[in-house]
Amino acid sequence: MASRGNAIARATFESRVPPFYYRPSASDCQLLREQWIRAKYERQEFAHPERQEPYSAGYREGFLWKRGRDNGQFLSRKFVLTEREGALKYFNRSDAKEPKAVMKIEHLNATFQPAKIGHPHGLQVTYLKDNSTRNIFVYHEDGKEMVDWFNALRAARFHYLQVAFPGASDADLVPKLSRNYLQEGYMEKTGPKTEGFRKRWFTMDDRRLMYFKDPLPPRAAPRCPPGRLRPRGSLHRQQRERLHGAGRAPAVHPGPPLATRDHRCHARAPVSAGLRDGVGAAGVDGGAPEGGGQAHAAPRVRSGSPLQAQALAREGPGGPRTLDCPDVAAGGRG
């Protein structure tokens, strides 16, 4: 820096950054910022393109910890990303011949959610299946491994969009590779028929406003001892609607701020055609838990229960947080 200056140093260490590689900002999670610095200076990946093979080869295979649908525990699962098939697959067993799920690159999005998942390397992958939005939560103890997976997904999306829109420039395609949620938080929502307002976790994703029926209060996930790989934590699954009908509220153990079981598209602004909306920005009007299953309404929470105390501590005396979303409010369905 002292002898050559910042401009020359940047031209050297960033001479071959792939267009799909995510350049973090100050607001991004620590993992993305740290791995960018290590890739740039320590491993010098952007001065030596041959070192970019883990995320630019068009094929990637490995094991990630994935949160289970039923018990919320993280289990080791085999993942395969192949650009040739345009899909990300995961398998319940390493020797399984058929994948448990196939996520098309066309509608796939990935965003780091360390606080939501309870792990600093937590990644949320969103995709479409049967016109419904599905989510999977994954992580890996090795930060480089997780960021390589993230950029491999962006590379696959980039090459797909290059084929779908051959006349588009890199500057037009890069914003469509992955996106963070515009807003997340609790709002009060009316129930069906004569039921009153109930707290629901809302997510504003591009042009979709979705709410989750089974939000759980945040928790501090247990730390994994260095050098060990094991499932991390668990989520308490709220009891079925029969408890709600009986007027009883089960004890709710602390969990992430939402459980990705089922959500519905609450409102959506009109979507215009063209590249600006992108192939991966298609709206959906329904959702279902990964692997199917029937969603149930969360039971009522009695006054003075642990869940209510945690909600009051989180919201404060002013009540739940609301989202300022005039476009959706103006163009949405009730």
Side-chain angles (χ1 to χ4, degrees):
M1 285 290 295
S3 63
R4 306 180 68 185
N6 188 53
I8 295 179
R10 174 173 290 181
T12 300
F13 289 105
E14 296 185 21
S15 59
R16 305 290 292 275
V17 181
F20 58 80
Y21 197 97
Y22 187 80
R23 293 173 177 260
S25 65
S27 60
D28 282 308
C29 65
Q30 179 179 346
L31 176 65
L32 282 171
R33 290 182 281 122
E34 175 186 338
Q35 288 301 317
W36 164 262
I37 294 171
R38 292 187 181 277
K40 180 178 176 180
Y41 298 111
E42 188 176 78
R43 299 189 293 268
Q44 297 188 16
E45 294 177 7
F46 310 135
H48 303 278
E50 66 274 8
R51 301 178 185 178
Q52 303 170 8
E53 186 176 356
Y55 45 82
S56 62
Y59 181 88
R60 185 173 179 84
E61 180 178 328
F63 287 84
L64 300 174
W65 291 105
K66 175 190 171 296
R67 202 200 72 171
R69 177 173 61 90
D70 295 328
N71 56 16
Q73 292 183 344
F74 283 85
L75 303 173
S76 179
R77 292 291 181 257
K78 177 183 176 181
F79 282 78
V80 175
L81 171 66
T82 168
E83 283 187 13
R84 184 173 58 85
E85 299 179 25
L88 172 67
K89 308 175 184 178
Y90 82 85
F91 300 78
N92 275 352
R93 300 186 312 274
S94 58
D95 59 347
K97 296 182 179 179
E98 296 296 328
K100 175 66 176 179
V102 178
M103 295 158 271
K104 293 295 185 182
I105 296 297
E106 177 183 1
H107 300 298
L108 186 144
N109 182 50
T111 177
F112 278 98
Q113 296 277 7
K116 181 187 296 184
I117 299 175
H119 192 282
H121 304 164
L123 187 73
Q124 179 176 350
V125 179
T126 305
Y127 64 103
L128 292 182
K129 181 179 180 181
D130 301 328
N131 202 35
S132 297
T133 299
R134 307 293 181 95
N135 297 280
I136 61 171
F137 286 149
V138 296
Y139 74 87
H140 196 283
E141 291 292 345
D142 187 341
K144 179 183 182 302
E145 181 79 7
M146 200 69 256
V147 174
D148 283 349
W149 270 104
F150 176 65
N151 283 297
L153 293 174
R154 286 175 56 89
R157 288 268 302 160
F158 181 70
H159 297 146
Y160 168 81
L161 292 175
Q162 281 183 317
V163 175
F165 302 97
S169 65
D170 291 352
D172 293 328
L173 299 180
V174 168
K176 306 300 180 184
L177 302 184
S178 62
R179 62 186 183 275
N180 293 323
Y181 294 136
L182 299 178
Q183 182 66 286
E184 287 188 288
Y186 283 103
M187 290 196 294
E188 295 283 342
K189 174 193 170 295
T190 55
K193 298 180 180 178
T194 60
E195 294 183 4
F197 281 85
R198 291 183 178 181
K199 182 185 295 183
R200 292 291 184 260
W201 180 266
F202 281 78
T203 296
M204 184 67 187
D205 180 18
D206 194 51
R207 292 176 178 266
R208 297 191 298 269
L209 178 63
M210 299 172 285
Y211 72 91
F212 294 76
K213 301 187 71 174
D214 296 329
L216 298 180
R219 67 172 169 85
R223 305 291 293 179
C224 210
R228 291 185 58 191
L229 290 180
R230 62 175 174 81
R232 177 176 298 277
S234 63
L235 300 178
H236 175 79
R237 190 174 181 180
Q238 292 183 343
Q239 298 184 26
R240 298 295 185 181
E241 198 168 294
R242 56 185 177 82
L243 292 179
H244 163 63
R248 295 188 289 116
V252 179
H253 300 292
L258 64 89
T260 56
R261 285 186 44 74
D262 186 39
H263 53 273
R264 296 286 186 260
C265 181
H266 184 60
R268 184 180 64 189
V271 181
S272 60
L275 177 62
R276 183 173 59 83
D277 295 322
V279 177
V284 294
D285 295 323
E290 178 201 345
Q294 179 66 35
H296 295 265
R300 297 183 186 273
V301 179
R302 288 179 176 174
S303 176
S305 68
L307 180 59
Q308 186 188 57
Q310 294 172 14
L312 290 176
R314 177 172 57 251
E315 299 167 3
R321 295 184 290 113
T322 58
L323 307 184
D324 183 13
C325 195
D327 293 339
V328 173
R333 305 186 296 274

